[in-house]
Amino acid sequence: MSRVLLGVMTLSCAVHADWTNPFPVKKCNGVVIEDIDIDTVQGYFTSGLLTSQQLTQCYVDRITLLNPYFHTVIEINPDALSIASSLDTERLESGPRGPLHGIPILTKDNIATADKVRTTAGSLALLNSTVPRDSHVAALLRLNGAVLLGHANLAEFADYIAYDDYSEGYSDRGGQTRNCFNATQQTSGSSSGSAQSVVCNLCMAAIGTETDGSILLPAMHAGIIGIKPTVGRVSRAGVIPGSLSQDTVGPHARTFRDAAYLLDAISGVDARDNATFRALLSGASTHANFSDAVANASALRGAKFGIPWDVLWSSTAGAVTHRPAFLDVFRQMEAAGAILYNNTNIPRIRELQDPYGWGDALDTPMELWARTYLHVDLYNGLDEYLNGLESSPIRSFEELLAWEDTNNASTGALGGGEIWVSGADNFLRANATHGVIDEGYYLAKLWRHELSKAGIDTALTHIDADGNLIQLDGLLVPMAGAGPYDSPSSGLPAAAHYPAVTLPVGQDPWQLPFGLGIWGPEFSEAQLIRFGSAIDDLVRWRGRPQHYNYDTTKIPFDPRWPGFFDTPA
């Protein structure tokens, strides 16, 4: 989730033409690894130009260099080098297990790994806890030969500890995640460390989680690929929960193919997560070779996309600010043979979406009801997770709240005149529900889910001026922030449990990337990867972070476009 951030509202672009990147990516054993993809690395492994152990060491060295400034990694796996070495030996003796063999991957610090790396959701409260087993995701990554390099930093408890007084990407354990393009600017979404670690060249790829926006929005501000799968595509077993109604796990990567390799590895049925049986019930494949769906720009010929103009494109701040760039992408798509349909609007969008940026329309029945069931989910999910730990001084939601009240409720100045208030207001709201699941809970969840699902389904079934029914291949949505308003393009697919992808298409004057998103129906990941990779091949936008303002201590962030702090016209 993304917040309107606290702090002194002073404008500081501080992006200079004569700036020299203080952290250029060094060669690894003589091999260029900056922005490298998995297929290229596997080629180096095969030819003997590079080993997994060497690559892992290079990433450990770079994390050690950058992390004091950008705080993207919360803990390095002390066994990563020995794991990489054993995988190098296995490659020589029996060949690679697949495309992830020997590839260093970071996992978000709410994804349990039963190793020497502690899983804490960024909280000091869980520092002395022990997980009973690998999460299903971690187990599958190991099975596929990935090197679990460590845990990425995140917004503490995946954005659910606080709502009112909060800095995005901050955790008590990991500190403030910084944006590698410009450290005075926000990272957006709880999987901040995962996304920024990829674009900072601290790992090959990373795994994040999302309840609402926490895969898509960090990928947007990192200028990388993010895939938010259908709820149930990937098991959440062993993931510290925000809401089991909406939680999902997905990849951050530099390319769609790399992201697809990760999704290939981690998707499938798991007996410890009933949601993973949804694909069976819906008739969809429980597992797919998503990497086979990766395409080039020729796949756009004849593809049909909708543009839901009302709210999403017409008034949200990022879409308005970056409209010329988005229109240029649309023109390129049409020249490549895509067919775009405007005003494929979502019914009741103004009940579902804030008209200017991220979040539900405030104080509407939808928004108030969403809070109701999400707070119940938070209470019950964390309570069950804590109770299931192998060892922990904290075993219940109430004990966690009591710990936060004693240890984490403080106010202090943290540089640049900003005031950081660290509290647990969202935990307090969840505690007030006592986890009671009643008629109101079910009505709230069902209403929001069904209305969001019906809205996307209706928009995907377009009726043209002649009354012809046209089934669209996806909905194009802006993935862009401006001022205090972040992208709106996460709430509806989150509530509908539908998949979405984002790809980078440009960069603003503050050096922050922005992107284009695609929504589709449930279990349409392969289709979204096909068309997302085709658009990516057409646009071919990639930004290289210059690490502007790397030594800033400001918390939270400098604003952009100060006029947007007033309601935009």
Side-chain angles (χ1 to χ4, degrees), residues 1-6 108 110 154-171 176-177 186-193 208-221 228 241-248 252 353 357-360 362 366-379 420 425-427 429-430 448 479 484-492 494-495 556-557:
M1 295 185 178
S2 300
R3 310 289 182 229
V4 176
L5 303 175
L6 306 173
K108 188 175 176 180
N110 61 348
L154 74 167
E156 192 165 335
F157 281 105
D159 262 339
Y160 270 106
I161 187 171
Y163 189 96
D164 294 333
D165 300 318
Y166 198 68
S167 178
E168 191 61 80
Y170 177 88
S171 74
Q176 179 65 64
T177 307
Q186 71 152 302
T187 53
S188 185
S190 75
S191 300
S192 296
T209 68
E210 174 161 331
T211 305
D212 184 347
S214 289
I215 292 172
L216 298 174
L217 302 187
M220 168 189 77
H221 275 325
K228 180 254 181 197
S243 166
L244 288 180
S245 298
Q246 290 184 191
D247 288 350
T248 189
H252 282 144
Q353 174 65 54
W358 182 90
D360 299 320
L362 293 176
M366 175 66 66
E367 192 260 347
L368 296 172
W369 276 31
R371 287 191 207 175
T372 299
Y373 82 81
L374 289 174
H375 288 142
V376 172
D377 280 354
L378 179 61
Y379 181 101
W420 166 240
D425 57 89
N426 214 45
F427 273 10
R429 293 184 180 98
R448 189 167 188 254
M479 296 297 304
Y485 300 100
D486 226 330
S487 171
S489 302
S490 64
L492 269 70
F557 309 100

Side-chain angles (χ1 to χ4, degrees), residues 205-426:
I207 302 291
T209 68
E210 174 161 331
T211 305
D212 184 347
S214 289
I215 292 172
L216 298 174
L217 302 187
M220 168 189 77
H221 275 325
I224 60 171
I225 306 303
I227 300 177
K228 180 254 181 197
T230 306
V231 173
R233 173 65 77 185
V234 180
S235 172
R236 290 84 48 84
V239 177
I240 299 176
S243 166
L244 288 180
S245 298
Q246 290 184 191
D247 288 350
T248 189
V249 183
H252 282 144
R254 298 185 188 95
T255 70
F256 268 100
R257 186 171 297 280
D258 286 2
Y261 283 148
L262 285 176
L263 193 57
D264 282 340
I266 64 176
S267 63
V269 172
D270 175 21
R272 294 178 56 229
D273 184 355
N274 290 336
T276 60
F277 291 92
R278 288 185 58 232
L280 288 173
L281 296 174
S282 68
S285 171
T286 57
H287 185 86
N289 292 320
F290 298 108
S291 53
D292 290 345
V294 175
N296 59 30
S298 66
L300 293 173
R301 194 173 299 114
K304 302 176 180 67
F305 299 99
I307 300 173
W309 175 257
D310 189 26
V311 173
L312 291 175
W313 286 103
S314 64
S315 63
T316 52
V320 172
T321 302
H322 301 299
R323 188 167 292 160
F326 284 123
L327 289 175
D328 183 60
V329 173
F330 292 164
R331 283 190 289 268
Q332 291 182 59
M333 291 177 64
E334 288 181 320
I339 306 168
L340 306 186
Y341 297 87
N342 200 4
N343 293 309
T344 53
N345 290 321
I346 294 167
R348 302 174 74 171
I349 182 65
R350 292 177 181 270
E351 292 180 54
L352 294 165
Q353 174 65 54
D354 179 86
Y356 302 115
W358 182 90
D360 299 320
L362 293 176
D363 299 324
T364 63
M366 175 66 66
E367 192 260 347
L368 296 172
W369 276 31
R371 287 191 207 175
T372 299
Y373 82 81
L374 289 174
H375 288 142
V376 172
D377 280 354
L378 179 61
Y379 181 101
N380 289 325
L382 278 178
D383 198 62
E384 181 180 0
Y385 177 85
L386 293 168
N387 187 58
L389 289 171
E390 185 172 287
S391 64
S392 176
I394 296 172
R395 289 289 190 177
S396 70
F397 186 87
E398 285 85 356
E399 290 178 4
L400 176 62
L401 186 60
W403 188 96
E404 293 289 347
D405 185 55
T406 301
N407 297 280
N408 198 31
S410 61
T411 302
L414 292 178
E418 285 74 17
I419 299 298
W420 166 240
V421 183
S422 179
D425 57 89
N426 214 45

Side-chain angles (χ1 to χ4, degrees), residues 8-60:
V8 177
M9 302 306 178
T10 57
L11 184 64
S12 176
C13 180
V15 175
H16 306 293
D18 59 351
W19 178 270
T20 300
N21 182 0
F23 305 111
V25 182
K26 296 178 181 178
K27 290 183 178 180
C28 185
N29 197 45
V31 173
V32 174
I33 62 168
E34 184 173 15
D35 299 335
I36 201 168
D37 61 47
I38 289 174
D39 285 346
T40 302
V41 167
Q42 290 296 347
Y44 291 153
F45 288 164
T46 300
S47 66
L49 288 175
L50 197 62
T51 67
S52 176
Q53 186 178 28
Q54 290 167 340
L55 181 60
T56 301
Q57 182 66 66
C58 289
Y59 283 135
V60 169

